[in-house]
Amino acid sequence: MTANIVLYVTKLNFFPTKGGLSMTLSPKTIMSGETINYKHYTLPFGSYCQVHEETAPRNSLAARTQGAISLGPSGNKQGAQRFLSLKT
């Protein structure tokens, strides 16, 4: 979980720095060309979530979600999130 918080905090390079090279472009945009998207920050790090659990059969009374903690964005184009399951 410590490694994931470091990765999440380094995403803060998406914001322009005061007195930096550019007033409109962030360091991340200058170096990689990647721009910020609202999908990157839909869930705060460490927030409790209920995630879908795909099991068969689907018509039973078994739980279809499980508790998890958000570890931040996965970095793909769809804006998926990574989670730490509370069962493990």
Side-chain angles (χ1 to χ4, degrees), residues 10-37:
T10 57
K11 290 283 188 181
L12 295 177
N13 282 335
F14 274 124
F15 302 104
T17 56
K18 187 180 270 188
L21 292 174
S22 173
M23 295 302 290
T24 57
L25 297 174
S26 67
K28 179 83 169 178
T29 304
I30 293 170
M31 295 300 289
S32 68
E34 186 179 353
T35 58
I36 191 168
N37 193 338

Side-chain angles (χ1 to χ4, degrees), residues 4 9 11 20 23-25 33 35 39-40 51 61 64 71 73:
N4 288 308
V9 170
K11 290 283 188 181
M23 295 302 290
T24 57
L25 297 174
T35 58
K39 293 178 185 178
H40 292 127
V51 294
L61 294 176
R64 292 187 177 110
L71 297 177

Side-chain angles (χ1 to χ4, degrees), residues 1 3-9 11 39-49 68-76 79-84:
M1 194 156 168
N4 288 308
I5 188 71
V6 170
L7 291 172
Y8 184 77
V9 170
K11 290 283 188 181
K39 293 178 185 178
H40 292 127
Y41 296 99
T42 54
L43 289 172
F45 182 87
S47 62
Y48 175 78
C49 303
I69 296 178
S70 172
L71 297 177
S74 66
N76 62 5
Q81 298 283 326
R82 290 181 297 183
F83 294 97
L84 174 67

